[in-house]
Amino acid sequence: MKTMHRLAPVAALGVTALLLASCGDRPDDTSSSGGQTGGSGGDAFSACMVLDTGGVDDRSFNESSYAGFEQAKAENPDIEISYVPSNSDADYVPNLNAEVAKGCGTIVAVGGLMKDAVAEVAQANPDQAFAEIDSDAAADNVYAFQYNTAEGGFLGGYLAAGMTKTGTVGTWGGINIPPVTIYMDGFWEGVQYYNQQKGTSVKVLGWDEKNPDGGTFANSFQDQGAGRSITETLAGQGADVIMPVAGQAGLGAGAAAEAAGGALNLIWVDTDGCQSAAQYCQYFISSVTKNLTNAVKDYVLAAAEGDTPTGGYVGTLENEGTGLAPFNQFDAKVPAELKSELEAVKAGIIDGSIEITSPNAIQAS
């Protein structure tokens, strides 16, 4: 086994032309807990995934993570891939134990909510390789995928502040956990930086990094009704650009934007919304991406070659683990000056001249 602190994504990051970092093709609807198997005749390596709630087509971290499995299999047909869904947190430990019993070469758990379950099962099975999305390592045999999306979120907040016509923007989350609030921190900070640079006073509804107890959450990654209601409430308070950080619940924001008839626009997260929620593409100014697909793919390919990575990976702007997706249908609407400013802000974050103060920020080692 070898220690890898950074897996190298193959993206080319830019504000106007960026790899759709965490978005692959949507998982085949025929995929199931029975999985898919390689068939090239070589020695098979079994890569198993335990999904969080929301399903393999959640248009968020489950889908992006499994797309990494699919891309790894496309490069190495001797990799067998499979997933098991979780309907609630009560399924985490049984699902993980079932995958151990299958004899998987590695087991990837999706989501920071699974950390305690992964710790329990990994410590009980020290010879089994695990990896977990959005969590630090729960045991020595767990590889950690983490993302400093406060950096990408900062760009999203600066963009929102530059695009608002009302002087008010908003963000809200699915569940109040660090992998969600780190995005919201970055968004809030990006707006504050815009105000500092421009002498403006753009307001942020739904989140204040300095007063996290007052944040707005749907308490679900799946409740689209709650997502729509929250979005409409923020819009009613004047927000005309909103960033939901909520998986499928965020689709409710898309429905709210559609009903608003152009008065409300959005910034998506995790994936390029114009690919993962294409029905609402006309309302997505951009998306703050998380490069799950490429990082998971690289991990699985290495593990299949007998070099299972240990330690962890932290995705940043510098290593292309987070960033902004293309502006898509908004490309002609985003002023050239704002695009240039975003490039300068990105460079400032990378070189340290712009400091991220989020308490949820993750430092690359």
Side-chain angles (χ1 to χ4, degrees), residues 156-165 169 191 194 198 202 241 335 338 341:
Y158 193 97
L159 172 62
M163 292 296 290
T164 180
K165 294 180 173 62
V169 300
V191 175
Y194 182 93
K198 298 290 189 175
V202 176
V241 181
L338 180 55
E341 290 171 7

Side-chain angles (χ1 to χ4, degrees), residues 156 159-160 187 241-244 265-269 285-288:
L159 172 62
F187 183 89
V241 181
I242 295 175
M243 184 182 79
N265 293 306
L266 306 173
I267 294 175
W268 197 244
V269 300
I285 300 175
S286 184
S287 304
V288 179

